[in-house]
Amino acid sequence: MIYWELFLAFFIPGILGYGGGPASIPLIEYEVVARYKWMSVEQFSEVLALGNALPGPIATKMAGYIGYEVAGIFGAIVGVFATVAPSLILMIALLGLLYKFKESPKVKRMTALVRPTIAILLGALTYRFLESSYLGAGVWHTAFLIVVSFLLLEKWKVHPAFVIIGGLGYGAVFLS
């Protein structure tokens, strides 16, 4: 039963997460935190931060880790397969069709209309992370990390992995 739940928890976001790994993260968060309650929001945000700091696709790294935490090595295998399977199946089935109609105005409109939905999903996830950080670390630490992270990413163009590592270091020193 747990393997089936792991499969569904990562397969469904893989199908619905149009736009890549970041688009599927709010869906994975819903499955892992709200639906199956395998992790708290704080734990999920830590997995997300660590996953972002490592090379490779975020959703598969998270699926492997969460699958391992929930059901061991076979759980990790199920989670990673469930994450990859929708893309694999859809790539095989639809790539030829989409390529054939890539200049179609309908296809272009469909892609443009999905973007606001993805933006709202990521915004809702950001709000939950901010709320969790505010409740756990307080307003000053949260505000400081927001401002410093924003400056590092947008002004000085520091790689996100280094920003995340810096945030982890800050948390280890000042919040433990």
Side-chain angles (χ1 to χ4, degrees), residues 42-43 45-54 145 149 160-176:
E42 292 80 19
Q43 292 170 318
S45 66
E46 291 168 2
V47 171
L48 177 62
L50 191 58
N52 268 326
L54 300 173
L145 288 170
S149 298
F162 295 119
V163 176
I164 291 168
I165 291 170
L168 289 171
Y170 180 87
V173 172
F174 295 107
L175 301 176
S176 56

Side-chain angles (χ1 to χ4, degrees), residues 69-137:
E69 282 292 312
V70 171
I73 291 175
F74 193 67
I77 293 169
V78 169
V80 170
F81 176 73
T83 303
V84 174
S87 297
L88 182 65
I89 293 167
L90 289 175
M91 285 281 290
I92 292 169
L94 297 176
L95 189 59
L97 186 64
L98 190 61
Y99 187 75
K100 184 177 178 182
F101 296 106
K102 72 179 182 182
E103 298 301 325
S104 163
K106 288 182 179 179
V107 171
K108 289 181 177 179
R109 247 191 336 263
M110 179 183 75
T111 302
L113 291 174
V114 166
R115 289 183 186 139
T117 303
I118 293 169
I120 293 299
L121 288 171
L122 290 173
L125 180 64
T126 301
Y127 174 76
R128 285 195 295 273
F129 284 175
L130 282 174
E131 181 182 39
S132 172
S133 177
Y134 170 75
L135 294 175

